[in-house]
Amino acid sequence: EDQVTQSPEALRLQEGESSSLNCSYTVSGLRGLFWYRQDPGKGPEFLFTLYSAGEEKEKERLKATLTKKESFLHITAPKPEDSATYLCAPSRSGDYKLSFGAGTTVTVRA
Amino acid sequence: DGGITQSPKYLFRKEGQNVTLSCEQNLNHDAMYWYRQDPGQGLRLIYYSQIVNDFQKGDIAEGYSVSREKKESFPLTVTSAQKNPTAFYLCASSSEGGSPLHFGNGTRLTVT
């Protein structure tokens, strides 16, 4: 059975204090791993797809990396507007049953 | 702009009543999904549809029903058989299996 674990559950940062979020997974035949951002009361917003170990993707202060068993989302010099819950989901080709992690809720204080 | 529209944003119902949540997409995606989100839990798949007139149960389908008569629409009915219907419901679509999902902004259902 696919397992997706995100850590930590919650992360409180001071503005400018860089940190990383972890997504570990056990999925055979990985096609790609998705990262999403979710604001309170809204649907998840797609951020990145990572396809192979060693790949990196960047968007503003966010950088996602992938290994064979984990993905990391690095937040560099975060701002309060980066406060959100970040979700990851590994996918297999042709598989419609995507499993999401429970998410990491990031709070950035000014 | 292409996207997914869920309505209404908030819905209140009495216990024992069925309720239907609307989901419409104009992304021309073949696949559509319904997820449920509860505090502190990940997204759980209720139903998904790969193509018009076809749908499959997800992990928590009991007490729910769906239809897919049009490519653009995938309504979800929460029936009185669902034991704990109060939750945040998210509709999504994708071009194919294994592709990124695009989500609507959800419907928060409260049943009292």
Side-chain angles (χ1 to χ4, degrees), chain B residues 63-84:
Chain B
Y64 299 98
S65 66
V66 293
S67 63
R68 185 89 186 275
E69 297 176 1
K70 297 187 301 181
K71 187 174 185 177
E72 301 80 18
S73 179
F74 191 41
L76 174 74
T77 297
V78 183
T79 75
S80 56
Q82 168 51 232
K83 297 283 186 279
N84 298 295

Side-chain angles (χ1 to χ4, degrees), chain A residues 32-48:
Chain A
L33 185 134
F34 307 135
W35 279 99
Y36 289 85
R37 170 194 169 120
Q38 186 176 23
D39 292 306
K42 299 276 186 73
E45 174 191 348
F46 174 70
L47 291 172
F48 308 109

Side-chain angles (χ1 to χ4, degrees), chain A residues 48-102:
Chain A
F48 308 109
T49 305
L50 298 164
Y51 290 104
S52 57
E55 185 177 5
E56 297 181 352
K57 292 271 179 77
E58 287 189 60
K59 181 177 182 176
E60 296 182 7
R61 293 172 293 281
L62 301 177
K63 183 168 79 172
T65 62
L66 183 66
T67 72
K68 285 195 188 299
K69 299 281 189 198
E70 298 176 294
S71 180
F72 295 91
L73 186 65
H74 309 278
I75 311 179
T76 302
K79 297 183 176 182
E81 51 263 44
D82 295 320
S83 298
T85 296
Y86 293 87
L87 304 169
C88 69
S91 78
R92 282 190 290 255
S93 183
D95 189 357
Y96 291 85
K97 298 185 75 173
L98 205 60
S99 295
F100 283 83

Side-chain angles (χ1 to χ4, degrees), chain B residues 99-111:
Chain B
S99 295
L101 271 58
H102 297 263
F103 286 88
N105 274 327
T107 291
R108 187 166 299 281
L109 173 65
T110 303
V111 177

